[in-house]
Amino acid sequence: MQSETAICKPRHVSIIMDGNGRWAQERGLERVQGHLRGVESVRAVTEESVRQGIEYLSLYAFSTENWGRPKEEVTYLMSLMFKSIMNEMDNFMRNGVRFLALGDKGSLPGVLQESIAAAEKATSANKTLTFILFLSYSGKWDILNAAKHLAKAATESGNPDEYLSKIEEKDFSGFLITAGIPDPDLIIRTSGEQRISNYLLWQGAYSEFYFPEVQWPDFREEEYKKALKVFASRDRRYGKVK
Ligand code: IPE
Ligand code: IPE
Ligand code: MG
């Protein structure tokens, strides 16, 4: 059960980085140029999170559904993520950032899987900010996976009925890919779209939402500060009466 006390600073900020393609098209550029510029916004938001003392920053970088995009765009995104992870390593170490990637990692190209494993290992002792990239992730995939793991654990317990009768919400959370990570307090989606697009369906149950019009490549320090200010003005009631 979460506290109903108003907390001005979010512990976990999550961002659905949207609008890269439109940013590029509005400028007569190829869609992939928007993805490239979007990496600079990732850096800006990460550094500002460190300055603000935010504990968790998570970014929706590639959804399960995004595999359905044209092959060239998917290939470009995979290669851009590989390069960006390698490039950011020095920054992560300097800023005390722990890097994690969550999702169906087995579906990613081998070199990307290797760079993720290396970055996770190298940054595992960093404590200032946990930076999470959701890759080949979807909320339904996560919940279905958790249900499968739970069914397996119930079977292996030898007494499934008794095992399942004791499972509470917090236990189910422990089967999700985000086990041990606090639920997002604030979910930002750029580009003016106001939908969840199969993101953190369970974990976002009580998140505050913020939908700036700006496209992701234009979401920088000032936009982020504005989002944090809006969050601070929200009244979180968790279904109760104040
Ligand atoms: C977000 O920008 C990046 C990913 C989903 C990988 P988009 O590529 O969705 O950009 P728009 O929404 O088409 O403008
Ligand atoms: C959501 O954006 C996924 C990511 C940002 C990774 P999309 O652009 O894929 O979502 P839809 O298609 O507009 O719902
Ligand atoms: Mg989009």
Side-chain angles (χ1 to χ4, degrees), residues 62 67 69-81 109:
F62 194 85
W67 288 112
R69 292 194 176 194
K71 192 170 170 287
E72 307 73 55
E73 183 168 342
V74 171
T75 307
Y76 183 91
L77 281 166
M78 294 297 148
S79 137
L80 180 63
M81 285 186 276

Side-chain angles (χ1 to χ4, degrees), residues 17-23 25 31 35 60-63 66 69 73 77 191 193 215-216:
M17 307 181 287
D18 201 14
N20 294 352
R22 279 164 283 169
W23 182 91
Q25 280 160 347
R31 286 178 55 83
H35 298 316
Y60 202 9
F62 194 85
S63 73
N66 290 150
R69 292 194 176 194
E73 183 168 342
L77 281 166
S191 87
E193 305 296 353
Q215 316 288 19
W216 176 247

Side-chain angles (χ1 to χ4, degrees), residues 50-174:
V50 169
R51 281 193 290 273
Q52 297 277 341
I54 284 161
E55 286 178 64
Y56 294 85
L57 171 68
S58 60
L59 303 173
Y60 202 9
F62 194 85
S63 73
T64 307
E65 289 77 16
N66 290 150
W67 288 112
R69 292 194 176 194
K71 192 170 170 287
E72 307 73 55
E73 183 168 342
V74 171
T75 307
Y76 183 91
L77 281 166
M78 294 297 148
S79 137
L80 180 63
M81 285 186 276
F82 168 75
K83 284 184 206 147
S84 305
I85 292 167
M86 302 313 267
N87 278 343
E88 292 309 310
M89 280 304 293
D90 285 350
N91 283 338
F92 287 161
M93 294 313 288
R94 197 173 46 247
N95 288 312
V97 175
R98 174 169 73 125
F99 171 86
L100 292 178
L102 299 177
D104 182 14
K105 289 193 262 189
S107 66
L108 302 172
V111 283
L112 180 55
Q113 288 186 43
E114 284 160 25
S115 68
I116 286 170
E120 287 182 337
K121 190 161 179 244
T123 63
S124 63
N126 291 347
K127 301 245 182 298
T128 307
L129 170 77
T130 298
F131 172 95
I132 303 163
L133 269 191
F134 282 95
L135 283 179
S136 192
Y137 176 87
S138 79
K140 288 189 178 179
W141 168 85
D142 195 4
I143 293 167
L144 181 59
N145 240 353
K148 287 179 185 172
H149 284 119
L150 176 62
K152 192 159 181 281
T155 308
E156 285 169 1
S157 73
N159 190 342
D161 284 345
E162 200 208 337
Y163 181 92
L164 288 174
S165 72
K166 290 186 177 141
I167 293 292
E168 295 178 5
E169 286 183 7
K170 67 171 170 31
D171 304 308
F172 191 80
S173 297

